[in-house]
Amino acid sequence: MTFQFLRLSPAVGVTLASVFVMVIVSGCASEQREYVTYSSTWGNHGADAGEFNEPIGVALDGAGNVYISDAGNNRIQKFSPAGAFLAQWDGGAKKLDRPMHIAVDEHGRVYVPEYGADCVSVFDSAGARLFSFGENGNADGEFDSPAGVNIDPDGKVYVADFYNHRVQIFDSSGGYLSQFGSEGHKPGEFYYPTDVFINSAKEIFVADAYNNRVQRFSKNRAPLVIGSEGNDDRELKVADAVAVGPSGRMFVADFENSRIQIFDTTGDWLGSFGGKGTAEGKFDRPTDIAISPDGTIYIIDFGNNRIQKFNLIREEL
């Protein structure tokens, strides 16, 4: 048996004791420690290349390039994994209207939910518009301020439909397939969902923002509620984004509490880092999280108009 030891680095504002998680590994006994360390920061307030005005979303492509939805500037910016500016685009003839939580598919296409235009627009990696789908409304395939998008392992597109309190599912060309959820506070219902994430097991995680929780849906759509309203450990104050890392940890952007909370996918709380501030490793209302296969974590620091980069480290003890 392997005992995985998770401790978050004090350098990024840890507020908790250590947690042990048991994992079976081919009958061998060993012990590991997993923790988060601060790496770097880039960006500041402005409208020039590499500057931000209310950044919202972050996504990574297969090469590790970082795409940021710069919502207040109505554009997408593209950076290298180290934060070097590469490109930007504003949608061309049809300008972007408040881009939100974005996603990149295996072909490098960037899916951009436009909160103000009630559509999802799709671009190639250089910023050329390929197509858009959706319009204002509450019928199948229509949106009322789409807030987040993610792609499942089969290429299906999931969209958090904010004011319609639901998640809609489309094929990779924007053809409507199905939906789930409705307005409410019970398991399986949503109250202004903002983000969605699908892991390799095809479990669906929805940031049920103003219910102050994340809901995990199994393949048969059975819901598990994770979190409740508050500012203590395990509690959330506007769950704005969710991402699952390579080791199966679930990272949640706890917006009003200006921190990141970590759970396992069964809902057990593992830790948190951040806290309100402008110093390295502190946040002013984080809005999104992207995690690379090697454990590099990119976090949108909305109120500080910057991107912070962390490393998820695993060590044998």
Side-chain angles (χ1 to χ4, degrees):
M1 291 184 185
T2 295
F3 289 92
Q4 237 172 324
F5 180 63
L6 176 67
R7 190 205 307 264
L8 283 80
S9 165
V12 291
V14 165
T15 60
L16 61 141
S18 303
V19 177
F20 288 89
V21 179
M22 190 180 352
V23 182
I24 305 296
V25 181
S26 1
C28 298
S30 65
E31 190 175 84
Q32 294 179 335
R33 180 177 65 175
E34 193 170 81
Y35 57 95
V36 172
T37 61
Y38 171 82
S39 175
S40 60
T41 296
W42 76 85
N44 54 268
H45 184 260
D48 291 337
E51 297 180 333
F52 303 106
N53 181 15
E54 297 185 344
I56 296 287
V58 56
L60 310 176
D61 67 17
N65 295 311
V66 184
Y67 297 79
I68 308 295
S69 56
D70 187 7
N73 285 321
N74 291 308
R75 64 184 178 182
I76 303 297
Q77 296 198 65
K78 179 180 179 180
F79 300 86
S80 75
F85 174 82
L86 299 176
Q88 63 177 307
W89 67 85
D90 63 5
K94 183 179 182 296
K95 302 300 184 187
L96 289 168
D97 192 347
R98 198 158 182 84
M100 298 293 284
H101 297 267
I102 57 179
V104 182
D105 72 8
E106 64 179 354
H107 305 292
R109 294 177 297 199
V110 185
Y111 287 73
V112 181
E114 296 190 55
Y115 188 88
D118 297 312
C119 69
V120 175
S121 294
V122 184
F123 300 85
D124 68 18
S125 60
R129 184 187 294 271
L130 302 175
F131 61 93
S132 299
F133 60 93
E135 60 183 0
N136 179 258
N138 54 23
D140 295 348
E142 297 177 341
F143 301 115
D144 192 351
S145 298
V149 64
N150 204 255
I151 319 293
D152 80 3
D154 297 326
K156 293 194 289 292
V157 181
Y158 291 66
V159 182
D161 191 1
F162 186 75
Y163 281 107
N164 284 325
H165 307 283
R166 63 184 178 181
V167 172
Q168 296 198 69
I169 306 170
F170 300 82
D171 64 28
S172 59
S173 299
Y176 172 82
L177 298 174
S178 63
Q179 64 178 278
F180 62 97
S182 58
E183 182 177 357
H185 311 289
K186 297 177 182 177
E189 298 176 336
F190 302 120
Y191 198 54
Y192 304 104
T194 53
D195 192 27
V196 60
F197 184 93
I198 303 93
N199 67 8
S200 59
K202 299 182 183 179
E203 297 172 315
I204 305 163
F205 300 81
V206 179
D208 190 7
Y210 289 90
N211 271 328
N212 304 292
R213 65 190 185 185
V214 170
Q215 294 197 65
R216 187 201 75 186
F217 294 85
S218 64
K219 291 174 69 174
N220 65 6
R221 298 285 166 78
L224 171 69
V225 172
I226 301 169
S228 59
E229 184 176 4
N231 52 24
D232 290 335
D233 297 340
R234 303 173 177 83
E235 296 179 338
L236 302 161
K237 196 70 177 293
V238 184
D240 206 59
V242 58
V244 178
S247 60
R249 313 295 190 200
M250 184 180 73
F251 290 69
V252 182
D254 189 2
F255 182 77
E256 293 289 356
N257 287 323
S258 291
R259 63 184 176 181
I260 305 298
Q261 295 214 59
I262 306 173
F263 302 81
D264 68 22
T265 55
T266 67
D268 287 339
W269 181 78
L270 301 176
S272 66
F273 63 98
K276 180 78 169 181
T278 59
E280 294 176 350
K282 298 293 185 180
F283 304 109
D284 183 358
R285 296 162 293 161
T287 54
D288 206 3
I289 306 160
I291 307 173
S292 72
D294 69 359
T296 305
I297 304 168
Y298 298 88
I299 298 174
I300 299 291
D301 192 359
F302 172 82
N304 286 323
N305 289 292
R306 65 186 183 181
I307 314 307
Q308 294 204 64
K309 180 179 175 181
F310 299 84
N311 295 314
L312 183 61
I313 308 295
R314 179 179 291 181
E315 295 178 344
E316 296 285 346
L317 298 179

